[in-house]
Amino acid sequence: MSEPTGKYSITMPRDVAEAAKARSGPSGLSAYVAAAVARQIERDSLNELVAVGEAEHGPVTDEEIQSLRDQLHQAREQQTRGGANAV
C-alpha cells in the first residue's frame, strides 16, 4: 500500500529540472524528486544525530572514522568470500 500523496508546486533551476526529467525514467519526475528529497531528509537526520553524539561525546576523529571504514570493508570482504554467515 502506497503513502497518500499531495500535489505541490516547486521552483528549481531549469537545467536541474531538465536533467532530473531526463534521468527519471518510467517512474516519472515526481517519483524521482520525491526519492531525492527523501534521501536529503535521511542525510539531514543523520547529520542531526552526529551533532547530538558529538555534543555528548566529543568530535569523531579521522582515525576513528578510518578504523570503522576498515572494519566495514573487512566485514564486506568476509561476507563476499564466506557467505552471509561470515559476518
Side-chain angles (χ1 to χ4, degrees), residues 18-58:
E18 291 302 320
K21 189 174 179 180
R23 291 176 179 264
S24 64
S27 62
L29 182 59
S30 291
Y32 189 85
V33 171
V37 172
R39 280 191 306 276
Q40 186 61 49
I41 290 168
E42 289 174 353
R43 288 178 180 157
D44 293 345
S45 295
L46 181 56
N47 285 336
E48 291 167 4
L49 181 61
V50 168
V52 168
E54 287 185 336
E56 188 172 331
H57 302 287

